[in-house]
Amino acid sequence: MKKHLLAILLSTSALISTGAVAADLSFPHLETTGRGEVVVKPDMAVFSVDVVATQPTASGAKQAADQAVTKFIERLTKAGVERKNINSANISLSAQYRYPKDQAPEFTGFKATRNVVVTVYKLENLNTYLDGALGDGINQINNITLKVKDQKKYQEEARQAAITNAKEVAASLAKGFGDKVEGVWQIDYNTASRPMPYRMANYVGSAMQDSAAVNQSYSENNIVISDSVNVIFKLAK
């Protein structure tokens, strides 16, 4: 007797994309979703800061923001960050108004905003670089994202783990129903990685903490790199 085994997919999107095709197949088959994860220690990071300056004129606001960014870049390069790893090309200008109750809006000046993104390849120096962001004109550290330099290597490991998982689940299901897998009919591939983010609330300057301990607190965290694959397997007739 022909059998049609259906493994419950772990995501709605996978059910729609793969399941819709499977419904039209006339031969015995089953569907599985394989998932794989690799847990690694971070060895690099990316963080960004906002520089906001308000002045009576647009040119004055821009100049104040530019000066703050220039000083920040100088502090970073002196601390060992290469200039190519600092992105500070964007700027935005906007008029600012005050809105008194029951009165017409009052113009108060112009606001210039510049965002600086820094890539750190020496994680042990991250706290030093963050301390450098606490100079005049730096209004906010947006976030700190921990990463790994060899992302492709670990993504491939997670992908192979997902493939192995899909095969094992398919074989187990088929065996449980007294059948066996004959081959692969369709592969629906999806990929995703989940770096561990840090917010400003998690950062305190080294003047308030031991610098070595702060640096270690970043490097001790793990990054989970995940992958998944949806597969339709043919069953033996």
Side-chain angles (χ1 to χ4, degrees), residues 50-53 64-65 67-69 75 114 133-140:
D50 279 341
V51 177
V52 181
Q67 288 176 350
V69 169
R75 291 194 295 271
R114 287 191 65 176
L134 301 178
D136 295 338
I138 304 297
N139 304 84
Q140 180 179 345

Side-chain angles (χ1 to χ4, degrees), residues 61 65 86 97 105 122 177 184 195 216 220 224:
I86 307 171
Y97 294 89
K122 293 182 178 180
F177 285 90
V184 175
Q216 186 177 10
E220 285 182 346
V224 177

Side-chain angles (χ1 to χ4, degrees), residues 8-73:
I8 297 176
L9 298 182
L10 301 182
S11 68
T12 302
S13 60
L15 182 59
I16 294 173
S17 61
T18 307
V21 175
D24 297 330
L25 300 180
S26 59
F27 54 82
H29 62 279
L30 65 83
E31 305 171 43
T32 64
T33 295
R35 298 190 182 278
E37 290 186 347
V38 177
V39 180
V40 297
K41 296 292 183 182
D43 56 14
M44 64 176 291
V46 176
F47 71 91
S48 64
V49 303
D50 279 341
V51 177
V52 181
T54 302
Q55 296 289 333
T57 65
S59 59
K62 179 181 180 301
Q63 184 178 12
D66 289 345
Q67 288 176 350
V69 169
T70 298
K71 291 179 180 179
F72 178 44
I73 292 175

Side-chain angles (χ1 to χ4, degrees), residues 150-182:
D150 200 349
Q151 173 78 20
K152 291 183 178 180
K153 171 187 173 182
Y154 298 113
Q155 193 71 57
E156 174 64 18
E157 291 182 10
R159 183 180 304 117
Q160 292 302 317
I163 292 171
T164 298
N165 179 243
K167 291 179 179 178
E168 291 176 347
V169 171
S172 176
L173 287 171
K175 181 179 179 181
F177 285 90
D179 213 326
K180 63 179 180 178
V181 174
E182 185 177 76

Side-chain angles (χ1 to χ4, degrees), residues 36-40 151 158 192-196 222-227:
E37 290 186 347
V38 177
V39 180
V40 297
Q151 173 78 20
S193 61
R194 303 195 299 272
M196 184 176 295
N222 292 327
I223 298 173
V224 177
I225 298 175
S226 62
D227 219 331

